[in-house]
Amino acid sequence: MIFLLAILLNLESFASRPKPYDGILPTVNFEPSSFPTKHAQNHDLIQSEDGRIYIANNGGLVYLKGKELVQIYDPEERPIRSLGISPGGELYFGSDNSFGYLKVFSNGTGELVDLMTILGDDLERIGMIKDIIFFQD
């Protein structure tokens, strides 16, 4: 009987011990060397409805896939400066004298689509002051 009581008391004290990670959120620090591009300067960060984190980077668009950073390169090798998500969930980007959106394929990969190619050479410069975008032709 005493033996059984000792076991029960030991189990109760074991169950009430704090776990090593109680109250601590899992945090991952990404050093500049961990970025898949040599350009580790980031300009903007946004989270989509499905929880994916996107980062506007000097080397293009970077997104977090689990604990891995994945790079989507801009075909013109322009730095991505800003990000936005439409009400429909599409990710839009702004870069030096360009803007576009992320086209996502069924296999989970994506590519940056430049909308300036659709507009042609009519627009030479794009600028932004506060929340207003200006187009100069």
Side-chain angles (χ1 to χ4, degrees):
M1 177 78 171
I2 294 176
F3 179 73
L4 185 58
L5 182 62
I7 290 176
L8 288 175
L9 288 175
N10 191 22
L11 287 176
E12 182 180 326
S13 67
F14 178 77
S16 65
R17 288 184 195 155
K19 312 290 186 287
Y21 299 108
D22 275 354
I24 300 174
L25 295 174
T27 304
V28 177
N29 184 21
F30 292 100
E31 297 294 328
S33 60
S34 66
F35 275 79
T37 175
K38 63 183 178 184
H39 305 287
Q41 184 175 3
N42 302 317
H43 299 283
D44 200 2
L45 180 119
I46 198 165
Q47 185 173 6
S48 65
E49 290 281 330
D50 63 359
R52 184 171 279 183
I53 305 266
Y54 293 95
I55 304 165
N57 181 278
N58 269 357
L61 180 69
V62 178
Y63 68 90
L64 190 59
K65 183 178 181 183
K67 292 184 179 180
E68 176 188 6
L69 291 170
V70 178
Q71 181 83 31
I72 300 175
Y73 295 95
D74 182 328
E76 301 296 321
E77 298 183 5
R78 293 176 293 237
I80 304 294
R81 304 275 186 202
S82 60
L83 299 171
I85 297 179
S86 73
E90 295 88 6
L91 178 78
Y92 286 88
F93 69 90
S95 65
D96 293 348
N97 293 320
S98 182
F99 67 99
Y101 67 95
L102 174 65
K103 181 177 182 179
V104 180
F105 301 109
S106 59
N107 64 1
T109 62
E111 72 176 351
L112 298 175
V113 178
D114 186 0
L115 292 174
M116 287 297 289
T117 58
I118 296 170
L119 297 173
D121 294 332
D122 292 339
L123 298 175
E124 294 178 5
R125 296 180 53 106
I126 300 172
M128 185 171 171
I129 298 175
K130 294 189 179 181
D131 291 335
I132 302 170
I133 299 173
F134 295 93
F135 299 94
Q136 177 183 355
D137 57 11

